[in-house]
Amino acid sequence: MIVINPTLDEVLPLFRALHNFHVCLSPHIYHAEGADEVYLDILRSALSDGGKIYAVDAGWGLVAYLLALQEDRTQNGLRRGGRRIKIDHLYIAPTHRGLGLGQQLVARMEQNMRDQGIRRWVVSQDATNLPATDFYRSVGAVDRALMLEKYL
């Protein structure tokens, strides 16, 4: 069952697992030394700024979540204004991957977007995370930008 904005204590283990994955992927950028309260503050801040958490409850606990942040851009001399959703986190517990939970979370988020008149979402992720790239393409996302990086 998909729930919207579950308690942050329920989301915390999944948030920590996703962050630990990021630490393994990019230890030069991320560290895992934060206490639970620091992680909870990050989640609280995202929600207070209008974010929504969509989660899959397996009946005994959460096994997946998606953190969606609304971004409102005002039109200026160069860009059109508009609203969009940024998928900031998407994590499925390893024991529950391959069951379509990611697709269910994105579909629920998209339904809420339609209800609010929002017609576009974006996501950024590490280029080496090919399963995530394949997943986002499978739910209809297309490549739009490329970020390059160089360390000295």
Side-chain angles (χ1 to χ4, degrees):
M1 167 175 64
I2 294 182
V3 294
I4 298 177
N5 290 340
T7 69
L8 297 183
D9 287 335
E10 293 176 291
V11 177
L12 182 61
L14 297 174
F15 179 86
R16 184 175 280 285
L18 176 61
H19 184 68
N20 286 338
F21 171 73
H22 290 144
V23 170
C24 292
L25 202 59
S26 301
H28 57 290
I29 297 172
Y30 301 105
H31 67 81
E33 296 143 24
D36 284 353
E37 195 56 39
V38 172
Y39 294 128
L40 289 169
D41 283 345
I42 291 167
L43 290 169
R44 280 186 205 106
S45 177
L47 294 179
S48 72
D49 289 340
K52 280 193 177 152
I53 296 174
Y54 301 86
V56 176
D57 188 336
W60 49 266
L62 301 184
V63 295
Y65 84 103
L66 182 155
L67 173 60
L69 306 176
Q70 184 171 308
E71 296 181 335
D72 295 310
R73 293 186 173 200
T74 56
Q75 184 162 319
N76 62 27
L78 301 174
R79 290 192 154 184
R80 297 187 186 283
R83 293 186 303 160
R84 70 180 186 185
I85 295 296
K86 176 184 176 198
I87 297 176
D88 199 57
H89 303 162
L90 175 59
Y91 183 77
I92 314 293
T95 55
H96 287 76
R97 292 182 184 159
L99 302 175
L101 301 181
Q103 289 91 342
Q104 291 175 36
L105 289 169
V106 170
R108 181 65 181 269
M109 176 195 72
E110 289 177 345
Q111 182 57 54
N112 282 6
M113 288 173 60
R114 280 189 283 283
D115 293 346
Q116 297 174 47
I118 302 171
R119 300 287 180 241
R120 181 167 70 111
W121 60 261
V122 297
V123 65
S124 337
Q125 44 125 104
D126 193 286
T128 63
N129 189 350
L130 297 179
T133 301
D134 291 342
F135 168 76
Y136 288 118
R137 287 179 179 150
S138 78
V139 294
V142 295
D143 297 359
R144 190 188 64 83
L146 174 65
M147 182 178 89
L148 303 172
E149 179 177 59
K150 178 181 177 180
Y151 280 88
L152 302 178

